Amino acid sequence: MQILKYEQIEATFKPWNNIYLEVAQHLIDFITTKDFEVIHIGSTSFMVGGKGIIDLSILYENKDLDKAVSYIKSLGFQDQISENPFPKERPRKDGIIFFKNNKYLIHIHVIEKNSKEHEKQLKYKEYMLSNPKAREEYEKTKLYILNKGITNQEVYGKEKSPFVKSILSKIDI
């Protein structure tokens, strides 16, 4: 699999599609090693439409953050393009793949296995999968943001943050 140079795109709304699960599984199979587990997170993992970016987390143990970052960079993932990137101790790396002749943007979050962040990601996904009403509200939130004319990825992300935080506040972590 070839990881291509990432392109920052304008935020748009793409309805959720089962192909996102196939793309994520293809990447999980490609990236996972005996040292690193990979999980599918974010909207595409819990059937919510949005930008269609596939978010994954690569999970490291034994303080192997640098090893995990080096590994995913060796596969072709690049540093995050952002005015306000994730911190060095919790980085995100990005790339693009083609799968069944379609282009998919990929975000890889580097997370310590069994950390509070890892637990939060799992519980958030579980909550969203088990709550169709929350998924519907999240899609409405995203569409509302876009209808206000906000298409910059970073601004869009900040605008949807209150919804995510409201869900996280309901989850016992």
Side-chain angles (χ1 to χ4, degrees), residues 41-49 120-142 160 163-168 170-171:
I41 61 167
S43 297
T44 59
S45 76
F46 51 74
M47 301 182 293
V48 168
K120 182 170 60 171
Q121 288 178 341
L122 294 176
K123 288 190 174 190
Y124 182 69
K125 178 179 174 178
E126 178 184 312
Y127 179 89
M128 293 301 285
L129 280 169
S130 63
N131 288 279
K133 189 169 179 75
R135 292 195 307 267
E136 184 180 325
E137 288 175 30
Y138 196 21
E139 284 189 347
K140 286 180 181 177
T141 298
K142 291 176 175 191
K160 65 182 185 150
F163 177 87
V164 174
K165 288 178 181 176
S166 75
I167 298 298
L168 290 172
K170 297 177 187 180
I171 301 170

Side-chain angles (χ1 to χ4, degrees), residues 8-134:
Q8 198 162 34
I9 61 167
E10 286 193 344
T12 60
F13 186 86
K14 298 174 185 172
W16 185 83
N17 188 311
N18 197 51
I19 192 73
Y20 297 138
L21 300 178
E22 288 183 57
V23 173
Q25 190 58 57
H26 189 66
L27 282 158
I28 288 167
D29 293 344
F30 174 71
I31 299 167
T32 299
T33 70
K34 66 177 181 58
D35 294 324
F36 303 114
E37 179 184 346
V38 180
I39 59 173
H40 185 195
I41 61 167
S43 297
T44 59
S45 76
F46 51 74
M47 301 182 293
V48 168
K51 295 185 304 286
I53 295 173
I54 309 294
D55 282 282
L56 302 172
S57 284
I58 183 168
L59 305 171
Y60 66 89
E61 296 182 276
N62 305 317
K63 304 203 183 306
D64 281 341
L65 169 65
D66 292 337
K67 184 177 174 184
V69 169
S70 293
Y71 171 63
I72 58 174
K73 287 185 92 171
S74 77
L75 297 176
F77 290 97
Q78 307 107 50
D79 291 334
Q80 179 183 2
I81 302 169
S82 174
E83 292 175 18
N84 189 22
F86 280 80
K88 284 177 64 171
E89 63 275 3
R90 194 260 190 243
R92 189 187 91 196
K93 303 300 177 190
D94 301 333
I96 289 177
I97 66 163
F98 276 88
F99 183 81
K100 296 185 178 179
N101 296 318
N102 289 306
K103 179 168 60 171
Y104 295 93
L105 280 71
I106 313 300
H107 293 168
I108 305 268
H109 302 263
V110 185
I111 305 292
E112 185 174 10
K113 188 172 183 172
N114 299 320
S115 66
K116 190 156 183 91
E117 182 71 15
H118 177 208
E119 184 180 336
K120 182 170 60 171
Q121 288 178 341
L122 294 176
K123 288 190 174 190
Y124 182 69
K125 178 179 174 178
E126 178 184 312
Y127 179 89
M128 293 301 285
L129 280 169
S130 63
N131 288 279
K133 189 169 179 75

